[in-house]
Amino acid sequence: MATDCLFCKIVAKTIPAKIVAENSSCVAFRDINPQAPTHILVIPRHHTASLNDAKDAALIGEMHLMAAEIAKAEGLAERGYRTVINTNADAGQTVFHIHLHLLGGRRMSWPPG
Ligand code: 5GP
Ligand code: ZN
């Protein structure tokens, strides 16, 4: 755990979050500032700053599979949803503990802004 990391504190449950799923490797919780009717973040328990630092291919896969399971549970799978990892400044990453955004419940445009 990185002691000054917001998302490590959510994993440790020292900061509250609306947790929707968790297993031995990942935790998913609702974004505090949702950009769509459903906006959930899937994070690994183990601190990793960004995709640039990711080493564990299975873990990156597990994050995506957890997002797909949640999308099904939230009734988004048929209609569609978006999964996004923002990396560093140009993509607008603001929290430096890797997280997969799961967004759904509205029509989204492409390309993203
Ligand atoms: P990024 O911009 O780094 O890709 O995404 C960070 C996300 O974390 C943002 O969507 C932001 O709303 C969310 N966020 C920031 N602080 C908190 C918090 O304390 N709790 C929750 N649930 N989400 C947060
Ligand atoms: Zn962290």
Side-chain angles (χ1 to χ4, degrees):
M1 171 171 169
T3 49
D4 58 347
C5 172
L6 178 65
F7 286 178
C8 281
K9 289 176 183 164
I10 287 177
V11 170
K13 301 202 167 113
T14 56
I15 285 182
K18 291 182 181 166
I19 292 175
V20 296
E22 55 185 322
N23 62 24
S24 59
S25 53
C26 301
V27 178
F29 53 93
R30 296 195 189 275
D31 197 292
I32 205 165
N33 182 24
Q35 301 302 311
T38 298
H39 187 175
I40 289 164
L41 303 173
V42 181
I43 68 173
R45 289 184 183 277
H46 180 73
H47 181 83
T48 303
S50 80
L51 192 57
N52 283 337
D53 303 297
K55 302 276 186 286
D56 186 341
L59 184 59
I60 299 300
E62 283 178 44
M63 290 166 64
H64 284 80
L65 291 181
M66 180 177 274
E69 284 303 312
I70 296 166
K72 287 172 197 157
E74 299 266 326
L76 299 173
E78 191 78 15
R79 197 173 139 184
Y81 56 90
R82 184 167 291 169
T83 48
V84 180
I85 296 176
N86 294 322
T87 302
N88 279 352
D90 268 7
Q93 185 178 4
T94 58
V95 178
F96 287 84
H97 179 130
I98 190 172
H99 47 281
L100 178 66
H101 294 260
L102 165 63
L103 298 139
R106 67 168 170 83
R107 190 78 179 211
M108 272 166 274
S109 57
W110 190 264

